[in-house]
Each structure stands twice: as C-alpha cells, then as structure tokens.
C-alpha cells in the first residue's frame, strides 16, 4: 500500500475532498475529513470511485484516422490541420469545445492558446449547458461572476429555498449538510420549488410544484410582496444598488397579485402566499438554485429575478443569506476563472473591454486578442454544420450525447473537415467522428486544481501512473501551441507553472476592482503548490487568509460594476419557447439521477452505481400513461420534433401531470437508442446561450415488440438480431435487457448463438411453445456462465437473485433446480432491486427486515442493515418505502 493522497472528487460541483489510498487490491477511497466541502462525507458516486479506475475501455495511444500512431505524428496532424484552416479561412474557422471536467490549468492553457495566440474567441465548454445562465445573472447584478454564499451559510440560515435543484440526488453531500442542520435546528425551514416531487422534497416544509418555466412570475410576485409588506432594506438599496424602480414596476405589471401568480405557475395560492410569508419574515435566507433555473430559454432572467429579491431585502453578503448557484460540474467555476467560455477573457476580465484586452495581451505577450465574443456551444456546432468552423478540438466531453438536438451535432461532426477529440475512453458517440483521437490522462493520473460552487480551490493530485501513452490535456495544448509557432508562451513544464501564472494574471490591474483575485497564491513554490490546502478566493497578495472561513465578499455592499453598485434587473416573464399541442402534449424534462454522472464514462464502470437504475427510463404520471396507451414496466417511444428514443416506462410518484422525465446519461455504449439530447428543443437563453433542457414538447407511444427479455453473462454479449438493447455492468456479470420484433423459428439455436455456447455445453433450457416463453442457462463446471430469459410479455423474473449467482464459484443443486424459474427456493435469497448502493442493500431485504424487526424509521433500518448510513442518498427512498407500507397498512 502506498501513502494516502488527498485529492478532490471529479464529479459534481460540491467539490468534496477525497483520500485515495492505492493498494494491492485497488485504490481505497474515503472522504477527506479535513476538506471544508464535505468534512469526510462522500455520496454514492464519490464512494464508488475506486470501482471506476480500471483500464478497460481506455484510449492508450494516439490515433489518426483510426490508426494508432506516436504522439509526434498525431500532434503534427492536429497542428498542421489547424494551421492550414486558419491560413485559408481565418482564426474564426477553428474552435475548441472543452469541459467542466477540465482542471483549471488545462482550461488556462486552452483559453490562452485560442484567445491570445490563434486570435479567435471560439472556445466554449460544456459548462455552457450547466450554469452559464447563473454566470450571466451574476455579471448583470454584481458586475462580476461572484457567488457570495458558502456551504457554511446553509447551516446558519433559517430558511433555505431550493429552486430547480434535486439536491438530494445531484449534490448529495450539500443535501446531507442541510439535513443535518435541520435535525439540529428543526426551526430551519426548507422550501422546494420544482415541478417534480423529487427526493429533495423529503425534507421540505413546503413544496411548490410550479409549471416548468414559470419561475420569473413567482419571483417577480415575491419582489412585489416584499415591497408591499415593507421588507425593503431602503438604506442598502439607496447606498448600494441601482434600478429598483424599474424592476418593481415590471414585477408589479407582470406578477402583482398572489392569485394571478399562483394561476400562472399552477400552484395553490395558499402555498404561494405561505412561501412569500416565510421569505418575508426570515432575514437569514439562502436561495440555492441549479439547472432547473439555468437550463431554460429564460434562465438568466430566472436567476436575476431570484437575485432581485435578495437585493431588495439586503440579504446578500451577510451570514446565512444570499443566492447560491450550485454548479453541476467539478470545475465549472475554475473554467470561468480562467475565462474558458466564448464570451469571457481571463481572470474575470471582459473580452469586450479594450483596456482589459490590452492588459491581458501585454501580460501574455500575445500577438492579438479578439475584441468580440466567440461562438457559444450551440452556435458553435451550428457553425460547424454550416461549414463556417472547419476544424474543432473537443476535449473531455461528449457533445453527440449531451447537446440539444444532438443528431444535428452528430451530422455537423460528420461534415467537419478536422475533428480532434481528446478523451480517456477509446470509444464513445463523439469519438466515432474523430479524425484524430488523443489519449487523455484521467482522474488520479493527472494533477491540477478545481474550484467548487463555494469558490473553494482544491487540488486534484496524482495517485496512479498515467497508462499507455496518455497525457494531461494541458500538455497536449502546449504541444500543439509549440507546433503552431507559439512555443515560448507555452513552455510550461508543470501545472505549478501554469497555476502561478494564472494567479498572477488574476491580480493584474486588480486592486480590489475584481473579486476574483488569487494573487496571494502567485508566489507559491512547487512544494507549496503540491501541498496547497483548500482555499476560498479571493486570496489577495499579502493576505493568504482564504482558509475555510467565509471571506466577507460583498459584506461591505461594494459590488463590481465600475460604480460599485449592484443592479436590479427588470425581468419580464416569458414562458418556455416550445409549446405543447395535440401532437406533442407532454413536457419533456431531462436531468441527472442519483448514481450516474454525465454520459457514464466513469460511473458506468461501477457495478454498484449501475445497480440502482440500470436501464434508460422515462418517468411519467400513471394517468398520463393511461391516456397515452402505455403501461408501466413496458418499453415506450419518446418522440419530439427533433428526435426519438426508447426507454422503460416507470412511475416514481414524482411526476406532475403532463410532464415526463428522462435521465441525461444514456449513450450508444449503454443502450441502443436512449440519447435524450437528440430530443431536446434547440432553443437557448438569449443572454447566456444556455439550452432549454427542461421543456421540450413531447409524446409517448408504445414501442411494439414481439418479445422482450434479458441476458446475464460473465462477458458482454454482442447481441444480434434484436430491435433494442441496454447494457449494465454488475459484479462479475453484464446485464443486457433486450427486445425484438422478429421471432426466430428456433429459440434454442438463437439463444446458443447469442451466448456463444458450444453444442456440447452444459445447457439448461425451458420452452413453452404455447405461451412463447423461453429460458436457458449455460454453465461451465457448475459455474453459471450466462442465462437468458425471453417472453412475449414483460412478465420476466426479477434480476437480483439470478445476478447474485455470478458471485458463486459453483452453484449447488438447489440453485440449479431453481435457475430457470428465476426465483430461489428460499425467498430470502433474493435481495430485490438495489436501494442502498453503498452497501448493496436491496428492497426485499429491507422489506423483510421491516417486518421481522418492526422497524419504523430510516434510522432503525440503518441500524439493522447499514442502508442509508454512509452517504445518505437512499434515505428518501427508505422513508418512501416506510410511508408506502404505512399507507397500505392503513387501508
Ligand atoms: Fe463527489 Fe458526491 Fe461530493 Fe459531488 S457530492 S463532489 S459527486 S462525493
């Protein structure tokens, strides 16, 4: 075992500290008790990081046109391709599309190369899809992209409003901090504003299930209410803000009466009034908002309407009060710090300000910096489609899955003259279109820094060797810069050199003019950078006082517009851009699920993370299912004007009428036809350019098949002759759900072909010709190799017990006898569908324990089975199970 290494989780914007301990049996993962974001806690995804580090599926060598080659050749092809394109068509004919997964140092170098040396601002990032609306709203209100609140503020607030955020699943460690604060201070009130009744509502005192996209009406109404009830902080407004009258007039004109607001938002008037009363009477209020606000064609106005209410009451820059934009990605904020988006410069400077451009250009010693923003993500792929951008480098992201109207993105890449993709995987939807594929070092193999949602800079550190010829992204960009003739400006030997340059730039012409200033870190030695503890910015030169205590950002009422005043923004409510109609009567909402991350390149490798929700699904209200003629548990087609996909129908109880939810994660590696991005309406917010992922008119229809089934196998099976499939990794097996339209004449021969079983294999089978049911199992030396279950109906046996047989070196006579029934002779051997991923506890086990020990609370379940005692992400599900049972018992 080697020494433990302190690093940072590569998943969400909470930015938890992780301790990684490489050993003979893999890498041990635990939470870093000293990290101020999580104090030792990790969620299910963070806890399972050790399961995601295998080299399976990794890209280990550069490839040009599918042929493996050396770095020199690949980099020459990239540099020559970019140089040729720039020479022929100008700098705006090339682009970089990068990622919130990038480390700050990767981002810094890519941004410097594109803006300072290539001379275009065509660098954008998948963070555009996540929080660019919040960023735009910060800049409009504060004069700078500043998040004034820390996680510690949540613990001293008296009211927390969670808007458009399934915090329980998407930012679980922050959610657990809120849960704990509420346990300690039950008077802490929680309001959840979300169309869905998500697991986050588990702790809500009040849930407002507003219609998607109506937030601005709700917040404008609150602004009016606060003013009418004398809650304005007049001294603060007069001394530190501008624009209150216009904002109030617009709010009054659009949302002047509670009843009208309630009607527009589709919420009970009493609930709206209760929210307004709570907000009005609670000075310490934090409004935490996320993608439900940002991913909208009016996302910037939604965020501005929230900020307006904090400005009106002066509840900003004070302990336990303020707006908190929580980001999806681990380094969305670090990317913004270096200016890694098309409309930014660097170090929170403005690309459209000549003085700041000149300052950065002189600091970099660069030939030119463009004076206008570049193409934002959506426009960038449009420009590729139109042939205006002819060479693109896509790094650490998979836009063919994650972008709206993703089939058009795929078509754009098919046409593009030069597509370079740097990724740690050998295969994904975007790599399929790469002319050049560059192997990137992954988490644990590279180092640098990230900034989480509360402005805390943490180090990611190396604890594994980079495999094959993989390299960090910053190195690749430097190598290409060198080949383009810019070697002197990109002669970095380490991330330390990049970081201190970035820190120096942040202090350039600053002197308090910009909040983002880490000049105090510019003189870090290599050893100090290596040992850097988490630190919140600003860290101005001579201060080094960042530490974990919230710095008094905005507490003096000094904002970052030139006059130091904040701006109210008059927000005119606008509904979503696509309306439902007879053909598309439902609203498609997309988002994350508890145990998956983005397009599953890392989380999809973990059996325990795949166990919770192993198939692509669409969640729907049961009455809407009836109206659409589809049944829970069956496969359905989700169709929009832009595309279609197939998924299993479920009804979690979370959905309001006329809305469906589909997770964003599934891709062509994990399912035949489940890229929800292909269905999403390609409209964007006019200010931020963030797409409308939460509101696409859609319909749901039956997906007619002749049979469906599943295969469990020790090896991934290349299924043939099926209409639909999805794949999930389990412990020592792969699970494939399949369905088909063609009925083979000979099921037995068909099954043997799928499972590659020899004629003399130990083969069990069951055929019921009259019902069309077929089941088979293949064993080698009494060890289960694979099994296959098919039926014309979805009445297939549960998968949990059959899956558990793969953990056995050999199965006994009882298991063998029960194998083709799909259920064990002893019912207690079937743990049921996984509820607690951390400890692998299933629904049947929990149900049995509740009965046997008369368990009445989630805490008691935890004491008996450990479920819910690690990350706590499954606690809402445990409570829901208890509630369901109590309801059944009461009937
Ligand atoms: Fe990672 Fe979970 Fe923490 Fe997010 S909440 S940073 S996914 S451990």
């Amino acid at each position: 075992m080697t020494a433990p290494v302190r690093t940072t989780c590569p998943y969400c914007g909470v930015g938890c500290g992780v301790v990684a301990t490489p050993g003979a049996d893999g890498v041990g993962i635990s939470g870093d008790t000293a990290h101020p974001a999580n104090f030792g806690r990790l969620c299910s995804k963070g806890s399972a990081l050790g399961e995601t580090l295998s080299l399976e599926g990794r890209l280990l060598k550069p490839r040009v046109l599918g042929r493996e080659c050396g770095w020199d050749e690949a980099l020459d092809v990239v540099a020559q391709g970019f140089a040729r394109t720039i020479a022929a068509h100008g700098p705006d004919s090339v682009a970089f599309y990068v990622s919130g997964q990038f480390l700050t140092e990767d981002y810094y170098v890519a941004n410097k190369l594109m803006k300072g040396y290539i001379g275009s601002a065509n660098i954008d990032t998948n963070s555009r899809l996540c929080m660019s609306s919040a960023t735009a709203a910060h800049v409009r209100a504060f004069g700078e992209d500043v998040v004034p609140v820390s996680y510690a503020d949540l613990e001293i607030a008296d009211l927390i409003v969670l808007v458009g955020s399934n915090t329980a699943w998407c930012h679980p460690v922050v959610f657990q901090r809120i849960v704990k604060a509420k346990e300690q201070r039950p008077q802490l009130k929680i309001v959840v504003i979300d169309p869905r009744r998500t697991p986050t509502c588990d702790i809500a005192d009040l849930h407002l299930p507003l219609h998607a996209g109506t937030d601005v009406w709700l917040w404008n109404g609150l602004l009016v209410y606060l003013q009418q009830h004398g809650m304005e902080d007049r001294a603060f407004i007069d001394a530190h803000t501008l624009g209150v009258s216009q904002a109030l007039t617009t709010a009054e004109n659009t949302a002047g009466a509670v009843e009208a607001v309630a009607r527009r938002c589709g919420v009970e008037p009493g609930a709206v009034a209760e929210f307004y009363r709570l907000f009005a009477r609670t000075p310490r209020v934090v409004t935490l908002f996320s993608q439900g606000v940002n991913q909208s064609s009016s996302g910037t106005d939604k965020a501005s309407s929230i900020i307006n209410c904090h400005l009106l009451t002066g509840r900003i820059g004070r302990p336990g009060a303020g707006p908190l934009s929580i980001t999806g990605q681990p380094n969305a904020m670090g990317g913004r710090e270096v200016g890694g988006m098309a409309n930014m410069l660097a170090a929170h400077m403005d690309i459209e300000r000549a003085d700041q451009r000149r300052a950065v250009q002189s600091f970099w010693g660069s030939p030119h910096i463009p004076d206008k923003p570049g193409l934002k993500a959506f426009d960038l792929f449009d420009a590729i489609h139109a042939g205006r951008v002819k060479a693109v480098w896509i790094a650490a992201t998979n836009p063919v899955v994650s972008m709206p109207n993703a089939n058009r993105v795929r078509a754009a890449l098919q046409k593009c003259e030069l597509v370079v993709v740097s990724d740690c995987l050998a295969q994904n939807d975007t790599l399929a279109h790469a002319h050049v594929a560059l192997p990137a070092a992954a988490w644990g193999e590279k180092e640098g820094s990230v900034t989480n949602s509360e402005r805390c800079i943490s180090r990611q550190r190396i604890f594994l060797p980079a495999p094959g010829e993989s390299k960090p992204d910053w190195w690749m960009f430097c190598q290409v810069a060198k080949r383009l003739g810019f070697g002197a400006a990109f002669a970095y030997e380490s991330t330390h050199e990049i970081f201190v340059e970035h820190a120096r730039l942040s202090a350039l012409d600053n002197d308090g003019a910009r909040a983002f200033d880490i000049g105090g870190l510019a003189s870090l030695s290599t050893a100090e950078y290596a040992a850097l503890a988490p630190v919140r910015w600003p860290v101005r030169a001579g201060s080094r006082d960042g530490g974990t205590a919230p710095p008094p950002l905005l507490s003096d009422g000094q904002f970052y517009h030139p006059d130091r005043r904040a701006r109210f923004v008059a927000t005119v409510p606008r509904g979503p851009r696509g309306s439902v109609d007879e053909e598309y009567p439902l609203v498609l909402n997309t988002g994350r699920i508890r145990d998956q991350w983005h397009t599953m390149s890392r989380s999809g490798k973990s059996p325990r993370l795949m166990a919770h929700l192993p198939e692509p699904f669409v969640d729907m209200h049961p009455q809407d299912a009836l109206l659409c003629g589809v049944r829970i548990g069956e496969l359905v087609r989700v169709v929009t004007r832009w595309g279609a996909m197939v998924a299993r129908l479920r009804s979690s109880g979370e959905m309001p009428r006329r809305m469906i939810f589909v997770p964003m994660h599934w891709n062509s590696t994990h399912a035949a036809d489940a890229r929800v991005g292909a269905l999403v309406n390609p409209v964007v917010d006019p200010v931020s350019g963030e797409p409308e992922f939460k509101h696409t008119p859609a319909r749901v229809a039956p997906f007619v098949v002749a049979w469906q089934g599943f295969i469990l196998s020790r090896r991934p099976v290349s299924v043939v002759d099926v209409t639909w499939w999805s794949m999930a990794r389990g412990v020592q097996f792969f699970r494939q759900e399949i369905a088909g339209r063609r009925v083979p004449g000979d099921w037995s021969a068909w099954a043997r072909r799928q499972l590659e079983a020899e004629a003399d294999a130990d083969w069990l089978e069951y055929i019921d010709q009259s019902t069309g049911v077929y089941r088979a199992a293949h064993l080698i030396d009494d060890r289960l190799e694979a099994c296959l279950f098919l039926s014309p109906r979805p009445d297939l046996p549960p998968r949990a017990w059959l899956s558990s047989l793969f953990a056995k070196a050999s199965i006994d006579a009882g298991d063998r006898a029960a194998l083709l029934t799909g259920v064990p002779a002893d019912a207690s051997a079937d743990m049921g569908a996984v509820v607690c991923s951390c400890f692998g506890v299933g629904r049947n086990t929990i149900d049995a324990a509740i009965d046997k020990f008369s368990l009445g609370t989630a805490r008691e379940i935890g004491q008996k089975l450990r479920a819910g005692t690690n990350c706590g992400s499954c606690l809402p599900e445990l409570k829901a199970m208890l509630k369901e049972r109590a309801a059944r018992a009461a009937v």
Side-chain angles (χ1 to χ4, degrees):
M1 184 177 287
T2 54
V5 173
R6 286 201 146 91
T7 184
T8 313
C9 178
Y11 291 123
C12 83
V14 177
C16 295
V18 171
V19 178
T21 312
D25 299 329
V27 178
I29 295 290
S30 58
D32 182 353
T33 52
H35 197 288
N38 58 320
F39 297 108
R41 201 180 261 280
L42 294 177
C43 75
S44 51
K45 293 185 286 291
S47 304
L49 274 165
E51 291 178 18
T52 67
L53 302 171
S54 78
L55 297 188
E56 194 186 318
R58 286 290 297 272
L59 179 63
L60 298 174
K61 269 178 171 286
R63 289 190 316 224
V64 172
L65 299 176
R67 176 182 54 81
E68 286 187 347
C69 63
W71 270 109
D72 277 336
E73 181 183 342
L75 293 165
D76 286 347
V77 171
V78 175
Q80 286 161 13
F82 269 70
R84 218 175 21 248
T85 309
I86 293 164
H89 307 283
D92 287 336
S93 64
V94 302
F96 297 158
Y97 184 62
V98 299
S99 167
Q101 307 282 309
F102 257 21
L103 304 183
T104 299
E105 293 78 355
D106 299 320
Y107 252 131
Y108 180 86
V109 170
N111 187 56
K112 179 177 173 181
L113 175 57
M114 182 53 80
K115 292 193 183 131
Y117 286 82
I118 290 177
S120 168
N122 283 348
I123 171 170
D124 214 45
T125 155
N126 60 10
S127 297
R128 177 72 59 194
L129 316 182
C130 165
M131 51 72 224
S132 55
S133 295
T135 299
H138 293 155
V139 173
R140 285 202 312 200
F142 310 143
E144 187 176 344
D145 178 18
V146 168
V147 174
V149 173
S150 75
Y151 303 153
D153 285 308
L154 293 165
E155 291 161 339
I156 55 171
D158 296 316
L159 170 64
I160 299 173
V161 188
L162 303 169
V163 196
S165 163
N166 183 5
T167 325
W169 278 20
C170 301
H171 299 99
V173 166
V174 156
F175 184 72
Q176 289 306 322
R177 286 181 72 160
I178 298 172
V179 169
K180 201 163 159 208
K182 189 160 172 65
E183 277 169 10
Q184 288 167 350
R185 289 186 303 121
Q187 70 273 23
L188 164 61
K189 296 285 184 222
I190 312 287
V191 176
V192 175
I193 299 174
D194 195 313
R196 295 188 294 150
R197 187 167 187 84
T198 65
T200 300
C201 295
D202 186 42
I203 57 165
D205 296 284
L206 181 65
H207 172 216
L208 301 186
L210 81 178
H211 290 328
T214 57
D215 308 52
V216 177
W217 277 279
L218 183 73
W219 290 90
N220 275 3
L222 176 60
L223 196 74
V224 175
Y225 182 96
L226 292 168
Q227 193 245 354
Q228 286 173 347
H229 290 77
M231 298 312 300
E232 291 162 292
D233 184 336
R234 223 344 111 186
F236 176 84
I237 294 168
D238 290 345
H240 302 298
T241 72
L242 287 178
V244 68
S245 338
Q246 296 92 318
L248 273 168
T249 304
T250 304
E252 272 161 15
N253 290 341
T254 56
V258 168
E259 290 73 22
V261 168
R263 225 175 10 257
R264 190 65 189 75
C265 298
V267 182
E268 286 297 315
V272 173
E274 175 60 11
F275 166 51
Y276 287 0
R277 272 194 298 276
L278 269 173
F279 197 103
R281 71 171 184 236
T282 315
R284 288 191 174 208
V285 51
V286 174
T287 306
L288 179 154
F289 64 98
S290 191
Q291 271 88 332
V293 169
N294 299 331
Q295 291 181 331
S296 160
S297 57
S298 57
T300 308
D301 278 351
K302 286 183 183 182
S304 290
S305 67
I306 292 171
I307 293 170
N308 282 346
C309 293
H310 282 272
L311 290 175
L312 191 85
T313 48
R315 293 171 186 167
I316 193 161
R318 297 178 185 171
L324 170 58
S325 149
I326 190 155
T327 62
Q329 300 207 71
N331 199 28
M333 192 180 285
R336 286 135 69 187
E337 289 160 10
V338 304
M341 293 173 98
N343 53 324
M344 299 172 165
L345 180 52
H348 282 199
M349 285 186 262
D350 187 345
I351 198 162
E352 295 185 84
R353 267 182 61 174
D355 58 331
Q356 297 194 332
R357 271 200 316 276
R358 269 196 305 275
V360 175
Q361 188 179 337
S362 133
F363 178 89
W364 280 342
S366 71
H368 38 216
I369 288 183
D371 58 4
K372 60 178 190 343
L375 295 165
K376 296 174 184 150
F378 181 77
D379 299 328
L380 167 56
F381 286 99
D382 229 31
I384 295 172
H385 198 278
R388 294 194 304 278
V389 168
K390 296 169 188 299
V392 63
W393 184 342
I394 298 167
T397 184
N398 192 356
V400 175
V401 177
S402 54
M403 284 288 293
N405 200 7
N407 287 342
R408 186 172 158 86
V409 170
R410 182 168 59 193
L413 294 184
Q414 281 164 349
K415 293 167 146 189
C416 189
E417 289 173 15
L418 175 61
V419 178
V420 179
V421 178
S422 46
D423 205 293
C424 51
L425 289 186
Q427 216 183 333
N428 69 23
D429 294 81
T430 299
L431 273 158
H433 308 287
H435 301 103
V436 182
L438 304 175
W443 183 72
E445 301 159 2
K446 61 179 187 174
E447 65 162 358
S449 57
V450 291
T451 309
N452 73 4
S453 301
E454 58 164 357
R455 313 191 318 269
C456 182
I457 298 170
S458 299
R459 288 295 319 275
Q460 275 199 14
R461 296 186 173 91
I462 293 173
F463 55 86
L464 288 171
E469 295 182 22
S470 60
K471 294 281 188 189
D473 289 275
W474 66 265
W475 179 88
M476 300 178 208
F477 282 99
C478 287
Q479 291 300 313
V480 169
K482 197 167 130 194
R483 284 165 171 77
L484 289 171
F486 311 129
F490 293 86
Y492 308 109
E493 296 285 330
S494 68
T495 53
H496 166 246
E497 291 176 16
I498 302 166
F499 184 84
V500 294
E501 181 178 310
H502 162 55
R504 271 196 296 121
L505 178 56
S506 75
L508 184 72
D509 294 345
N510 194 326
D511 201 19
R514 302 185 303 278
F516 178 66
D517 181 346
I518 55 169
L521 304 176
S523 56
L524 290 182
S525 67
T526 309
E528 286 169 331
Y529 171 72
L532 185 67
V535 58
R536 295 187 67 215
W537 59 261
V539 190
R540 298 191 194 279
S543 73
R544 288 301 302 272
D545 60 351
T548 58
L553 204 54
L554 306 188
S555 59
D556 53 1
Q558 296 300 296
F559 293 84
Y560 295 92
H561 285 292
D563 58 10
R564 291 300 200 173
R565 285 171 177 266
R567 302 288 192 270
F568 284 87
V569 177
T571 49
V572 179
R574 288 177 288 117
R577 293 261 294 281
S579 6
V580 295
D581 55 22
E582 262 181 37
E583 199 180 354
Y584 299 100
L586 303 164
V587 170
L588 166 65
N589 180 353
T590 70
R592 301 170 198 273
I593 58 173
R594 190 187 82 185
D595 288 353
Q596 289 303 328
W597 178 255
H598 278 196
T599 58
M600 302 166 95
S601 44
R602 199 191 323 268
S603 55
K605 281 184 162 183
S606 162
R608 66 172 139 152
L609 295 181
M610 287 305 297
H612 184 232
L613 291 167
E615 278 186 281
F617 66 83
V618 48
D619 198 356
M620 189 177 198
H621 194 284
Q623 273 173 282
D624 288 329
L626 263 179
L627 288 174
C628 293
V630 291
R631 284 203 295 220
I632 310 300
E634 296 196 344
L635 292 172
V636 297
R637 268 186 106 221
V638 185
V639 186
T640 72
R641 289 189 179 86
W642 297 274
M645 61 172 281
V646 178
R648 186 83 59 193
L649 185 66
R650 81 192 282 257
S651 184
S652 65
E654 295 174 11
M655 300 309 298
R657 291 293 313 276
R658 290 178 281 282
M659 173 179 276
I660 56 174
F661 174 81
V662 178
M664 62 178 277
H665 311 289
W666 269 268
N667 52 71
S668 303
T669 312
H670 289 86
D673 191 6
R675 288 161 47 245
V676 72
L679 279 66
V680 171
N681 187 357
V683 294
V684 300
D685 179 277
V687 182
S688 68
E690 183 153 355
E692 184 137 75
F693 282 104
K694 303 293 187 188
H695 192 288
T696 299
R699 69 167 180 266
V700 171
F703 182 67
V704 180
V705 287
W707 56 267
Q708 47 197 298
F710 65 86
I711 295 172
L712 304 175
S713 170
R714 288 195 186 275
R715 294 170 291 108
V717 173
S718 305
V719 282
V720 288
D721 211 10
V722 303
T723 310
W724 178 89
W725 60 270
S726 76
M727 195 276 283
R729 178 186 293 266
V731 178
Q732 298 186 37
F733 71 96
F734 293 84
R735 167 178 167 175
Q736 274 160 295
E737 299 289 327
I738 51 176
R741 293 205 167 118
R742 199 184 73 77
V743 179
D746 180 348
W747 276 119
S748 187
W750 186 88
R752 281 176 182 270
R753 199 167 72 245
Q754 300 287 347
L755 303 186
E756 294 178 20
E758 303 290 335
D760 59 350
D762 185 356
W763 182 259
L764 312 178
E765 70 181 353
Y766 166 86
I767 306 178
D768 184 336
Q769 298 286 9
S770 61
T771 59
V773 168
Y774 179 82
R775 298 173 176 191
H778 176 207
L779 295 96
I780 298 177
D781 298 334
D782 287 334
R783 198 170 86 126
L784 181 59
E785 195 61 20
C787 60
L788 176 152
F789 287 70
L790 304 171
S791 169
R793 297 171 303 280
D795 57 347
L796 294 156
R799 323 304 190 248
W801 174 69
L802 288 165
S803 301
S804 72
L805 298 179
F806 288 88
K808 297 186 175 185
S810 65
I811 61 169
D812 60 23
D815 289 340
R816 189 176 173 105
L819 189 49
L820 293 189
T821 69
V823 289
D826 170 9
S828 68
D830 183 1
M831 74 170 197
V834 167
V835 174
C836 170
S837 303
C838 295
F839 297 115
V841 188
R843 186 165 277 268
N844 295 351
T845 310
I846 296 165
D847 269 332
I850 292 172
D851 285 339
K852 187 167 173 193
F853 303 107
S854 306
L855 307 177
T857 64
R859 186 186 293 268
E860 287 171 358
I861 295 174
Q863 281 161 354
K864 271 285 165 228
L865 301 172
R866 299 175 75 201
T869 58
N870 182 40
C871 72
S873 302
C874 65
L875 286 172
E877 211 166 327
L878 296 178
K879 289 180 190 170
M881 285 178 73
L882 288 163
K883 216 186 257 175
E884 263 170 42
R885 292 171 65 92
R888 274 204 306 273
V891 174

